[in-house]
Amino acid sequence: MFATIRFLVVLVASLWIGSGAVFAEKKYGPGVTDTEIKIGQTIPYSGPASSYGTIGKAEAAYFQMINDRGGVNSRKINLISVDDGYSPPRTVEQVRRLVEQDQVLLLFNNLGTPTNTAIHKYVNAQRVPHILLATGATKWGDPEHYPWTIGFQLYYQAEARIYARYVLQTKPNAKIAILYQNDDYGKDYVKGFKEGLGDKASLIVQEVSYEVTDATIDSQIVALQSSGADVFFNISIPKFAAQAIRKISELGWKPLHIINQPSQSVASVLIPAGLDRSVGLISAFWLKDPTDPQWKDDSATKEWLAWMKKYYPDGSVQDISNVYAYTLAQVLVQVLKQCGEDLTRENVMRQVANLKDLELPMLLPGIKVNTSPTDFYPIEQVQLMRFDGKQWSRFGEIVDASRSR
């Protein structure tokens, strides 16, 4: 009898210890429970960059699909996406609320260079993951000084160097005019472009800036045309990119027109500007453009279209921002899956810095996501494209920007 009791005691104790071991494997940071993962985001649903608001809506729609399927490791994703109007002071206010009151686990895909710059030091001091940002500023790839911040898309300086090399190859005697936003976003591009030109930087004959509070950039375009330039590098957000395309057409100016990644959208830039006026635009892509007929039989594009129809019917299938949002949401889900039961802020950063040859359905063929503890630039390959009046068409080979760092 005593032996039996002793056996039962040992058995119960071993079960308790084993159960304790299982529970001990669960490590939670702020915003995490057995059923939920709370994440935060700031997006300009209003203001001069409001066309980007579709990104937050599409990401919420993607997470709804994930939640409908049971979530990530049985936890639903609760995205708290708030409007900052593309205003840095509002971003600071909103992010403090997300971190200190809502107690989110992480900040995901916050949009804008000036807005993210305003919170950069704060989130790193608070040790809050500030990840997969919707901005390509070069500064987001600095794990030594800012280990809690990581971007995603090709960084602006690398993108600009690619354009510069293209100009040197196709128009070696070019006269170049540049329009840029007067902040870190615009200046990052200008810096990279000049680096790409190297000792040919003197080909730049005119540089003009604009402020996000400007109503129009017509006067800047007139000044740039007057410079006699035959190449125009348009570094602007969608509202001003569309204005530039329209004004160039009205003036009868016909430069080689290069437009940066943030303003590639057919729906939010080219249609408002006029598709006929957009013919010949050059830009660099890393995502499949759903307007391109080459993808009409592509299974991944069909799946994306079906998802749009079911989960985001109000979104435009002509807006590549919705492809972008779908892809970024997939990356976050992958990071959360890799976290397993260790959903701490520290492990989030370990996992986002440990993405190896990640292939995603809406990335262009040959482009993969890679990060490491010393490499915070997830996307470093792009394809140049030209707009033909109906869609963007690829030309040339995939360009690997990592070789130019």
Side-chain angles (χ1 to χ4, degrees), residues 261-273:
Q261 286 185 69
S263 293
Q264 298 167 336
S265 172
V266 173
S268 63
V269 177
L270 307 192
I271 289 177

Side-chain angles (χ1 to χ4, degrees), residues 94-108:
Q94 295 284 35
V95 166
R96 283 186 175 276
R97 183 177 295 116
L98 288 168
V99 172
E100 298 171 17
Q101 295 181 26
D102 295 314
Q103 292 280 300
V104 297
L105 174 66
L106 59 90
L107 296 168
F108 163 67

Side-chain angles (χ1 to χ4, degrees), residues 127-287:
R127 299 168 67 86
V128 177
H130 178 220
I131 65 174
L132 307 174
L133 308 185
T135 153
T138 309
K139 69 175 77 174
W140 313 135
D142 184 8
E144 180 181 356
H145 300 101
Y146 294 96
W148 295 88
T149 296
I150 184 170
F152 187 76
Q153 65 212 58
L154 180 66
Y155 60 106
Y156 296 149
Q157 287 182 27
E159 182 189 347
R161 287 198 291 268
I162 289 168
Y163 297 141
R165 289 198 295 270
Y166 176 74
V167 170
L168 292 175
Q169 291 166 5
T170 58
K171 296 180 75 71
N173 298 312
K175 294 181 179 179
I176 305 168
I178 300 175
L179 173 72
Y180 67 96
Q181 189 164 296
N182 188 27
D183 57 20
D184 287 350
Y185 157 66
K187 292 172 184 177
D188 214 25
Y189 269 111
V190 173
K191 183 176 186 294
F193 193 73
K194 289 179 177 178
E195 288 174 352
L197 292 175
D199 59 7
K200 297 290 185 179
S202 60
L203 294 176
I204 300 171
V205 296
Q206 182 84 309
E207 299 176 46
V208 175
S209 67
Y210 72 87
E211 304 292 335
V212 294
T213 53
D214 289 348
T216 175
I217 54 168
D218 285 359
S219 62
Q220 287 95 326
I221 299 301
V222 170
L224 291 169
Q225 183 211 24
S226 300
S227 70
D230 56 5
V231 173
F232 173 44
F233 184 20
N234 185 354
I235 307 166
S236 57
I237 59 176
K239 170 185 173 181
F240 299 108
Q243 288 184 8
I245 294 167
R246 284 198 302 267
K247 190 61 179 180
I248 285 171
S249 176
E250 291 170 5
L251 293 172
W253 185 24
K254 299 185 182 298
L256 169 65
H257 188 164
I258 298 170
I259 195 164
N260 61 335
Q261 286 185 69
S263 293
Q264 298 167 336
S265 172
V266 173
S268 63
V269 177
L270 307 192
I271 289 177
L275 295 181
D276 57 328
R277 294 171 172 172
S278 304
V279 174
L281 287 173
I282 300 291
S283 196
F285 283 68
W286 45 274
L287 291 167

Side-chain angles (χ1 to χ4, degrees), residues 14 58-59 74 114 126 140 182 199 206 249 359 362 364 395:
S14 64
E59 287 167 345
S74 299
Q126 295 293 316
W140 313 135
N182 188 27
D199 59 7
Q206 182 84 309
S249 176
E359 297 186 58
M362 292 304 284
L364 288 173
F395 65 91

